[in-house]
Amino acid sequence: MTMTDNTTGVLGQRLLRREDPALLTGEARYTSDLPIPGALHLAVLRSPYARARIVSVDTSAAAAMPGVTAVFSGADLAEAWAGPMPCAWPVTEDMKSPTHYPLAVGQANYVGDGVACVLATSATAARDAIDAIDVEYEPLEAVIDLEDALSDRVVIHDEIGTNRSYTWDLKIEESEGQVDQAFADAAYSVKERYIQQRLIPAAMEPRAVAAIPQPFGGDMTLYSATQVPHILKVMTALTLGIPEHQLRVVAPAVGGGFGSKLNVYAEELLCVALAKRTGSPVRWTETRSEGNQATIHGRGQIQDIELAADSDGRLTAVRVRLIGDMGAYLQLVTPGVPLLGAFLYAGVYELPKAYDFSCTSVFTNMTPTDAYRGAGRPEATYAIERAMDSLAAEIGIDPLELRRRNFIPTASYPYEAMTGLVYDSGDHDRAATLAADMIDYAGVRARQQTQNVPGATKRLGIGVSTYFEMCGLAPSRVLASLNYGAGGWEAATVRVLPTNKIQVVTGTAPHGQGHETAWSMIVAEKMGVSPDDVDVLHSDTAIAPLGLDTYGSRSLSVGGVAIAIACDKVIDKAKQIAAHQLEANPDDLEFSGGEFRVAGSPDRAMPLAAVAFEAFTAHNLPDGLEPNLEAHTTYDPPNFSWPFGTHMCLVEVDTETGQVDVLKYVAVDDCGNQVNPLIVDGQVHGGVVQGLAQALYEEAVYDSDGNLQTSTLAEYLVPAASDVPAIETGHTVTPSPTNQLGVKGIGEAGTIASTPAVINAVVDALSGLGVRDVPMPASPNTVWRAINEAQGGQQ
Amino acid sequence: MEITVTINGKSHTADVEPRTLLVQFIREQVGLTGTNIGCDTSSCGACSVHVDGEAAKSCTLLAVQADGCSITTIEGMAAADGTLHPMQQAFMENHGLQCGYCTPGMVMAATSLLAENPNPTEEEVRIGLEGNLCRCTGYHNIVQSVLACAKS
Ligand code: FES
Ligand code: FES
């Protein structure tokens, strides 16, 4: 690690979060808490059909309801948009994207697609009135099954003439046909199909929006429960054709996102358009049941993966075929999600240049999918980690041993992978060994010998998952090569005030991650002040005009590093002032503990506080130096960051009921240097449970007509405390060599690692019964059926 | 209909529609927005408050049903001088919250849990908080917070 030597020892402490008192006392304000006098309330009428022609919309009865000020159909608002809803990631030149407006015109394409809307003086009046809108629909056949969609038997969107959005390939071969040859020559090979079920992100705070026209001049302030205030500002300006400088976007307290608030939504655009049209503030708060339909879903893939291995079990080729479920339309980054996984189907293993990945993504009549915690990487990790277990079974060796044989050796880091990406640092063996010790891997294997005997109904299983979290999105040039519509930089400003208090302005947009606490620690460490003397400003484009927001575990490794660099710039400038005052050469000054000292003459010193005041009065600055101590940085990371680790899960499966009991869960994660281990552990806990929820509980279920069967939280099973285990966390520390803090991301690691760890454990428990796979979610019913099938249906 | 409800020690008399939920009354008419709404099926517990000393989901009650009741919301938990309630303090010290949206409901449910069972096991805490969902913390540190509060 290349920390500057002015450390005060703040980094690495379990500092309690400054965010907490306001959140704990109810004083924090989420978007729906904001008092907005005179606001009109928006309600959206949503299609009850998965696919239907909109024959007519009669708004007259609704318009006459008490409190209603206006009612609009999609056609009524056609003029309000300068362009359709944005998709920022056209992954191929010929990608197909159906035109998508905030309210559907002509045809509705999923249950929940907005068809008309109401403005009223109260939320209740607005909701009452949408029931009075008379829409005549002509129901059309819906397409739900991905392979059916691919066949184009029924084409959803006439305008594009196919359900296929794109096919994106990543083929890496030293010589033509190498992948085929490797499979032909393989001593062992496996071919598996896994289904990534659709998930509903279900951040606990439903989405909420308020657009407030400002007096005179046409300025507009948009409050939104969003992860991406900066992206939202640009996209709203473009979609509505309003000058970007007249738009201010604020994300107040935001109650979780997990990708679901990394988007530009119809209701955000509707609120701004209607506030502009009426001159009144317009607000909207999603109901949960509405959100289950109208907020993006995650996952939704069919994965076919093949591994080839030599006689030692070392991988010689990987082939992947994906079908991605886009849902009815492309949202902000929908098509890019499978691509984010494309680089990770060889996991943490050495693979020669023999890799063949192809993804075809299709439209269906379901809620659009988009990034959900991990976005493409949990899917990829699941496939390779499940397939490694199959390969181990095929060869007849322990799955952990197979992984060890294939780990990228520690000595080969930085490691250029077959995809051309360079993995910054790693030590997989160390992480795996620690996890194995924590769970007593050898002891569990011994217990299995005595417990999983023929006829046993409580069977013990252990699951291993090793992973990379390719994150810290991302070097702008790499994003360009993937056709992503923006860069991956992050901005920071550090400003030392005359009284030596420090303001930091960041382009990250926290929604639970504790950035205010963590960023104050980085500044405290760099500047030699107390974290209490640092104020962190964010999530308001009037205060933090530049930024690319929070997603993809990027905030620390891009935004946090930007702050450290801005601190360095401030220190450089302060050094010139101090040198001038001390009549020394700037090169002879050292900065530590918040004080500049002339090397070799400890009595000649000047504290940062005094420099800050000098910079403010500007009475005696070096010639040509501007007053004030402030620096701005825009940092474009040179690489992704590559956190890694090993998770292990111990389960007991009741073969009579199919019930899976998680007995122990061990997470060993390496995210390089930790700014605040308290926060790191919290991220791991939450991530693990979200991934475990995919493995055991959650699925967005549609019937064949496209009706969402899990449209409420009573039906969609977000696990409660009693459904999940305690989580034992362990860490190894392998600093990233690509940034001065030595940090890597941690936001998605838990979700990426845990799903395969859990399912591997379940399958391991049942392997003696001939079970080779259990689909997700592994509910008692599903597990019981898998056992029954493996036993030839005799149970 | 006119109702009188005591909230955090202060009496409020107001006219409410018969269909107004208690949570709407607290948030919109009394203006105490610390109590959150996370669902419309009584599933999440974000709206938990104390009604006459017992935890209740305020989205499952009509405001008129609370007529004459004494209610404590999250805003009534810290002392007047701002000192956090021991449960709030325990959540802070054990990182029992991330985005904070479930937190008011969790704190209300957890205090009521300890009132009934001052020395719960980990298992009892998990079962006791079954009606409150959190999407951020994985519950690990919430459970630790409640256990720590019970100990102190
Ligand atoms: S809002 Fe009351 S239980 Fe969800
Ligand atoms: S802290 Fe975010 S939902 Fe619990």
Side-chain angles (χ1 to χ4, degrees), chain A residues 241-254:
Chain A
I242 54 181
E244 190 188 343
H245 63 284
Q246 292 198 293
L247 189 61
R248 170 185 172 201
V249 178
V250 185
V254 177

Side-chain angles (χ1 to χ4, degrees), chain A residues 437-508:
Chain A
D437 287 349
M438 285 170 68
I439 208 161
D440 184 20
Y441 191 84
V444 171
R445 288 294 182 211
R447 270 167 67 197
Q448 282 182 311
Q449 297 295 325
T450 52
Q451 187 169 337
N452 295 358
V453 292
T457 57
K458 302 254 191 212
R459 304 182 81 96
L460 204 58
I462 187 163
V464 178
S465 158
T466 54
Y467 75 93
F468 258 135
E469 179 193 355
M470 169 187 160
C471 67
L473 306 179
S476 298
R477 286 180 180 180
V478 177
L479 292 175
S481 72
L482 294 172
N483 250 8
Y484 180 63
W489 48 262
E490 195 47 82
T493 301
V494 171
R495 185 180 297 139
V496 187
L497 303 176
T499 54
N500 203 32
K501 304 293 181 196
I502 299 181
Q503 277 181 335
V504 187
V505 182
T506 176
T508 67

Side-chain angles (χ1 to χ4, degrees), chain A residues 31-209:
Chain A
T31 301
S32 63
D33 298 340
L34 300 171
I36 305 174
L40 296 173
H41 294 255
L42 173 77
V44 178
L45 175 69
R46 301 184 182 281
S47 171
Y49 296 103
R51 184 160 170 260
R53 207 164 65 77
I54 301 165
V55 180
S56 64
V57 182
D58 181 352
T59 58
S60 54
M65 302 263 295
V68 173
T69 61
V71 187
F72 303 98
S73 68
D76 294 338
L77 290 179
E79 302 297 303
W81 323 116
M85 300 262 298
C87 171
W89 204 336
V91 296
T92 60
E93 296 295 317
D94 60 352
M95 181 184 85
K96 304 264 191 316
S97 180
T99 316
H100 179 202
Y101 287 107
L103 292 178
V105 183
Q107 185 173 311
N109 291 302
Y110 67 96
V111 172
D113 205 355
V115 170
C117 70
V118 171
L119 288 182
T121 50
S122 76
T124 319
R127 278 181 205 149
D128 286 349
I130 58 172
D131 292 337
I133 300 173
D134 190 12
V135 183
E136 190 188 332
Y137 295 99
E138 179 194 330
L140 302 169
E141 188 177 354
V143 181
I144 303 307
D145 181 81
L146 301 194
E147 290 177 307
D148 186 30
L150 201 53
S151 77
D152 279 340
R153 185 184 59 82
V154 174
V155 172
I156 295 169
H157 302 282
D158 285 344
E159 66 172 303
I160 54 175
T162 173
N163 294 327
R164 186 181 299 232
S165 178
Y166 67 87
T167 295
W168 188 90
D169 299 325
L170 181 67
K171 193 160 182 143
I172 292 151
E173 292 183 296
E174 205 87 87
S175 55
E176 176 83 14
Q178 190 175 350
V179 173
D180 291 341
Q181 194 59 48
F183 277 96
D185 296 345
Y188 301 99
S189 65
V190 291
K191 179 172 180 161
E192 305 291 341
R193 167 166 282 207
Y194 302 118
I195 309 293
Q196 294 287 330
Q197 77 270 36
R198 272 181 172 248
L199 301 176
I200 298 180
M204 288 318 300
E205 181 206 17
R207 287 190 294 123
V209 184

Side-chain angles (χ1 to χ4, degrees), chain A residues 204 288 713, chain B residues 23 36-48 56-60 131 133:
Chain A
M204 288 318 300
R288 173 63 59 186
L713 269 190
Chain B
V23 68
N36 291 326
I37 300 175
C39 73
D40 43 13
T41 47
S42 341
S43 311
C44 76
C47 62
S48 302
K57 293 180 176 179
S58 61
C59 74
T60 61
L133 298 179

